[in-house]
Amino acid sequence: MMQKHRDITQSRIEQFKDKENLKNRKLLFPKELEKIEISSWPAPDRVPFSEAIKHLDDFKPIKVGDKLDGPIWSTHWIRFAATIPAEWEGDEVFLIFDFGGEVLVWSESGTPLQGLNGQTGEDRRTDFRITKKAKGGESVLLFLECACNELFGNSEWVVGPSAPRETREYNIKEAKLAVLDQQCWKLLWDFTVIADIAKHLDAEKSVECAEALRVANLMVNQINLDDKSTWAKGLDTAARFFKRLSPSSSSSSRDFDDEEDDQEKFQFHLTAVGHCHIDTAWLWPYAETRRKAGRSWSTQLRLIEDYDSYKFVCSQMQQWEWLREDYPDLFQQLKERVADGHVIPIGGTWVEMDCNIPSGESLCRQFLYGQNFMQKHFGKRTEIFWLPDTFGYAAQLPQLMLQAGIKYFLTQKLSWNQINKFPHNTFVWEGLDGSKVLTHFPPADTYCSHANVHDVNKSQTNFKDKDRSSSALLVFGHGDGGGGPNPNMLEMLTRLKPSIAHLPSIEFADPLKMFKHIEKNDQHKLASWVGELYFEYHRATYTTQAKNKLYNRKLELLLRDLEIVLSVLSLTKVDVDPSFYDQQEIDRLWKLLLLNQFHDVIPGTSIGCVYEDSTNHYQDIQKSASSLLSKALGRLSGVQQEHQEKGIFCFNSLSFPVSSVVEIDVSEIEIEGLQKNSDQTKTLAFVSVPALNGTVLSAQQITAPLVGSLSLVRLEKGFVLENDLISVSITNDGWIDHLIHKPTGRDSVSPQSLLNRFVIFDDHPLYWDAWDVDIYHLEKRYDVGRAESIEVIEEGPLRVALRQVVKLSATSTLTQTISLSLGDPHVVFDTQVDWDEAHKFLKVEFPLDVRSSEARYEIPFGFVSRPTHFNTTWDLARFEVCGHRWADLSEYDFGVALFNDCKYGFSTRNNVLTLSLLRAPKYPDEKADIGSHQFKYALMPHSGSLQQASVVQRAILFNNPIKIIAAQSASNDQNLEIAKRPFIETDQAAVIVETLKRSEEDEKTFVVRLYESFGGSARTTIRFGFPVSQVRETNLLEDILEGSDPLPLSGPDSSSTNVSFR
């Protein structure tokens, strides 16, 4: 009889199932064969199987205990040969292999079979089944591709990952054949599930919990692990327990297709789906991720063979593409399993991207390339946006999802929130424009569930919307570093699948089935969440790895301009060779950019070699796209040219006219009589260019008399830079003590304050070094002192400028040019920083004479308002926020906007607008941000609202100035009547032309993407500067909207149409 000491009994039960007892490998694999032949070849790189077998003569014999020579990230191919003993006839035979790293098992013929890894802990997997039923005497020949890295690369974990170890020894720990004892295997999982029911159900309220404790204890008493004859009795006890705990067979496994009777309708229901979240890069480089996909997904095919009801979802079409390139046979096998419903492609995007930093157009391309890949290879798109591990979700995403044919959204990252617990698991997320998507956070609070009783029970007890829905998703499988579900998880879920009282009913099914069930039965009851899903963690990802973020911003714009110019060229030059628009190369460049927007790359949270990869990718994009753009601009300038004299071609890719000072590279064209910049490498000129068009200007036109005033005055206390719109007073210390908006006479500087003050904060987050900045960093600040030197470097007539040098610390220096140009309403700060710090955070502050409870920040395709106070914990949590090209602090009829060309971290507390500049974390990349940085920001006082003051347009222009090249000779096929019009223009300032590109399907059809930027409704007339035969509205996948008619064309040339934005 069990004594009534629950805690002691529970501990006894846990002890019985540990690795020294029931989980003992000697019990599970009682027969072993160590008489094997293994030989190894240290490959020069990550070479494919086809290359490895060419080197069979180079394979050298090795044995258990031998070291695999080679550095971290190296690869060794091992040939494993053995003969199954004749006496093992009928046995289930496994390979057992462990060298401490990751392994892909290959067949003799070159088929990838399964992944292994020598990780310690639950995600360890060192066994591969060779045969379910051995004949005895057969030969075994396998090849093992051994990667000298673990699931999580080569980093050690303390609180978050460290920098990778420079050295790591890998040894052959195990290499043998073994026989699995099926009786012991069954006993292990029967006992484990019963013991976990006793451990995790409510002992005070659950009869089932008490019964499980009694039965588990009884099994301990019944089973003598040294005497197999006692095992059957334990198995019988377990079988009787499961039978008693389950309802009648007629209702033992409810799914969403069942009619719910009174007994079943209140039971919580879990849809269980296997998943292998593989970070596309993180603590390992991209090249290793390609192999992780092969290891992980081949493993899932083996599970599907053994567990017929098992469903496995795979996201990230980039990883599917890699699989198609590297493992074509495996890709074909997976496609077959897609067809029969066991494998479910999901997600709808190219990678699981960051959703804070990418531009709106980048987000569109993620969906476009992702959904197109699915349609091409699987014959269907997904309706589920699958993004479990990203660090916050922009408010515009619901509209983009719907535009991409997606109705449902899954994530769980907000369960990590640092301060406020998110109040829902299933809810309706409403975006910036009112678009609504059904959203689900799996209540187990993980995308890597172990599929045990704890996670199944937590899915029910932790579900926050029980009064509105009784359905949830359990996403199980080892993730981040790959691996995915394993047999242990399927064994536990198989035992829990029959409806056990006080636990959810479980069904293996496509997540789409769950979403559709909730949509049909529960959505009308669900709560709504309006606006961004701000993640109260990982706020430093807006700033870390600054060079990556600069590349990202610049290349997003470069690819945009390239597509616009190529489209314009195609539309204005009827005889242009269609191949001039190199769609294949443009797709390649976009996919490279999208790849590096993965949620551990662009946020700055990967190891150093990932940023070596991304820099190479960025430079590839820059070189190719710049070359294509230069050629296209040259061709376009020939269309515009009316004369042969020397001049420049100015192209404005923006949808509004621009007049501004531009820089002309003296290597392109030398024009006398114009101001040059301080180092004499650029000539300055003031030009005016129509919306989305180019203009050829002769030297005479460029040097025409200027209109407007510009001055720089030296005073005893400093300098005054002034034009017709603003006056900037700069002290000899380098700080701004007055910023006057001349039309109103108002000073933007808060009394007794100074603008452009640099501040360094101590930056020691509690947990994740590259990811986090914690709120207490604000308590320990160091105000940077006065400039060491300040001098005048440009004195007009087009631009005036000062240069200051600021010693930030003993090891870091900032050099900044502060300039004001003719006609500009903003002062520009062109900044270069030599940065060599450890755990410091550099920001620049602007205490403004503006009072508002909210500041506004640009996000993809719009803007959001966020509090400037800490009234509530929800306000406090947003002490650091993400913005794109601008932030604005305004009160009635006056405000100040802050522009930038590559920064994303902001904060506004009371009246102090702050831009985050640089960090210096040490893990996982100990060299993160160390080095030289170049960036620009600008400050613009304005009257009226940000909309009235053209803040959006000014920020766009600040990031994407007029393109200048030397004008080419007049083209023989020029069409000046077409060429001199704006190619696309709108009559509403709020409406921005974001994109002009060739259609995905038809080289004679072009796509224009526009958005309303002021935060309201708009109706605009779009005028095209080229012949138009038909205009249709599409979604972002370029599908014609169902039931829509062509938009009516109007105007003199039938080249205008009207569009409404809501």
Side-chain angles (χ1 to χ4, degrees), residues 17 30 159 180 196 199 430 436 524 577 601 607 640 647 667 768 788 802 953:
K17 70 174 182 178
V159 185
L180 176 67
D196 283 355
K199 181 177 181 180
E430 185 174 330
K436 297 178 181 180
H524 65 285
D577 183 352
V601 179
I607 58 175
Q640 295 273 2
S667 64
W768 300 82
E788 287 194 337
L802 306 173
Q953 289 85 348

Side-chain angles (χ1 to χ4, degrees), residues 86 105 242 400 458 498 567 1027 1030 1032 1035:
V105 181
F242 286 121
L400 300 185
K458 182 178 179 180
S567 298
Q1030 190 180 82
R1032 303 293 299 267
N1035 59 22

Side-chain angles (χ1 to χ4, degrees), residues 148 152 187 194-195 211 308 433 675 684 694 709 714 800 841 903 947 1014 1050:
C148 290
F152 291 91
L187 186 63
I194 295 169
E211 177 65 2
D308 186 61
D433 72 322
Q675 179 186 349
L684 306 185
S709 64
R714 293 175 175 82
V800 293
F841 199 154
K903 299 300 175 185
Q947 292 89 344
F1014 285 1
S1050 60

Side-chain angles (χ1 to χ4, degrees), residues 694-896:
T695 299
V696 174
L697 298 176
S698 67
Q700 184 177 3
Q701 290 171 307
I702 297 169
T703 56
L706 300 173
V707 177
S709 64
L710 179 71
S711 64
L712 187 154
V713 178
R714 293 175 175 82
L715 302 173
E716 182 178 348
K717 67 168 190 173
F719 309 85
V720 176
L721 285 58
E722 187 170 358
N723 63 16
D724 291 335
L725 299 174
I726 62 173
S727 174
V728 188
S729 172
I730 302 172
T731 71
N732 288 321
D733 296 328
W735 301 316
I736 295 175
D737 57 354
H738 297 287
L739 175 58
I740 309 296
H741 180 251
K742 292 178 70 174
T744 62
R746 181 157 173 179
D747 193 346
S748 305
V749 182
S750 181
Q752 286 77 53
S753 298
L754 299 166
L755 305 186
N756 200 41
R757 290 294 303 264
F758 297 103
V759 183
I760 291 180
F761 296 87
D762 269 4
D763 187 16
H764 292 273
L766 290 173
Y767 300 116
W768 300 82
D769 199 20
W771 291 256
D772 288 344
V773 56
D774 285 313
I775 193 166
Y776 55 74
H777 85 284
L778 297 172
E779 302 174 24
K780 196 168 184 180
R781 56 179 285 154
Y782 306 92
D783 292 324
V784 175
R786 64 189 297 272
E788 287 194 337
S789 64
I790 186 167
E791 60 178 332
V792 176
I793 58 170
E794 293 179 8
E795 297 189 75
L798 291 168
R799 187 170 68 196
V800 293
L802 306 173
R803 178 180 292 144
Q804 63 167 332
V805 177
V806 179
K807 197 70 175 172
L808 298 173
S809 71
T811 54
S812 298
T813 302
L814 178 146
T815 302
Q816 186 175 72
T817 298
I818 305 173
S819 65
L820 181 65
S821 295
L822 183 73
D824 275 358
H826 54 263
V827 56
V828 177
F829 305 87
D830 194 342
T831 310
Q832 190 263 328
V833 180
D834 291 317
W835 182 247
D836 186 7
E837 300 294 330
H839 295 111
K840 301 296 182 185
F841 199 154
L842 175 66
K843 302 185 184 186
V844 60
E845 293 183 340
F846 302 91
L848 303 170
D849 192 17
V850 177
R851 181 172 176 81
S852 176
S853 61
E854 292 181 329
R856 292 169 178 83
Y857 306 85
E858 188 189 34
I859 64 167
F861 292 141
F863 65 88
V864 294
S865 299
R866 298 181 178 120
T868 60
H869 53 74
F870 290 169
N871 281 0
T872 71
T873 55
W874 293 90
D875 301 330
L876 174 71
R878 288 182 282 179
F879 61 85
E880 181 86 1
V881 297
C882 187
H884 281 214
R885 294 170 293 196
W886 60 266
D888 184 86
L889 184 65
S890 292
E891 58 189 35
Y892 173 70
D893 209 31
F894 186 80
V896 178

Side-chain angles (χ1 to χ4, degrees), residues 354 356-358 391 534 537-553 599-606 611 759-761 763 768-774 777-778 833 835 839-844 857 879-884 900-907 914-923 925 927-930 932-935:
D354 178 80
N356 288 314
I357 291 164
F391 313 146
Y534 177 85
Y537 229 160
H538 296 1
R539 304 168 183 90
T541 59
Y542 316 144
T543 305
T544 307
Q545 296 285 4
K547 288 182 181 178
N548 243 44
K549 292 172 170 62
L550 181 144
Y551 267 126
N552 179 75
R553 176 83 63 85
H599 66 253
D600 272 311
V601 179
I602 194 63
T605 54
S606 291
Y611 295 104
V759 183
I760 291 180
F761 296 87
D763 187 16
W768 300 82
D769 199 20
W771 291 256
D772 288 344
V773 56
D774 285 313
H777 85 284
L778 297 172
V833 180
W835 182 247
H839 295 111
K840 301 296 182 185
F841 199 154
L842 175 66
K843 302 185 184 186
V844 60
Y857 306 85
F879 61 85
E880 181 86 1
V881 297
C882 187
H884 281 214
N900 75 87
D901 74 340
C902 62
K903 299 300 175 185
Y904 296 89
F906 293 86
S907 60
T914 303
L915 182 64
S916 297
L917 301 177
L918 293 169
R919 296 186 70 234
K922 296 303 171 188
Y923 308 110
D925 178 9
K927 297 179 181 179
D929 286 320
I930 302 303
S932 181
H933 297 267
Q934 192 80 35
F935 51 86

Side-chain angles (χ1 to χ4, degrees), residues 641 643-650 664 668-675 683-687 695-706 798 964-967:
Q641 181 71 289
H643 39 72
Q644 298 297 332
E645 67 176 277
K646 183 168 63 174
I648 60 171
F649 177 60
C650 311
I664 306 166
E668 287 273 353
I669 183 170
E670 184 74 46
I671 301 174
E672 299 299 327
L674 290 177
Q675 179 186 349
T683 300
L684 306 185
F686 189 90
V687 301
T695 299
V696 174
L697 298 176
S698 67
Q700 184 177 3
Q701 290 171 307
I702 297 169
T703 56
L706 300 173
L798 291 168
I964 305 290
I965 65 167

Side-chain angles (χ1 to χ4, degrees), residues 553-569:
R553 176 83 63 85
K554 301 300 184 186
L555 295 179
E556 285 176 332
L557 295 171
L558 177 59
L559 290 179
R560 172 193 182 272
D561 288 350
L562 173 61
E563 287 183 317
I564 285 176
V565 174
L566 288 175
S567 298
V568 166
L569 191 62

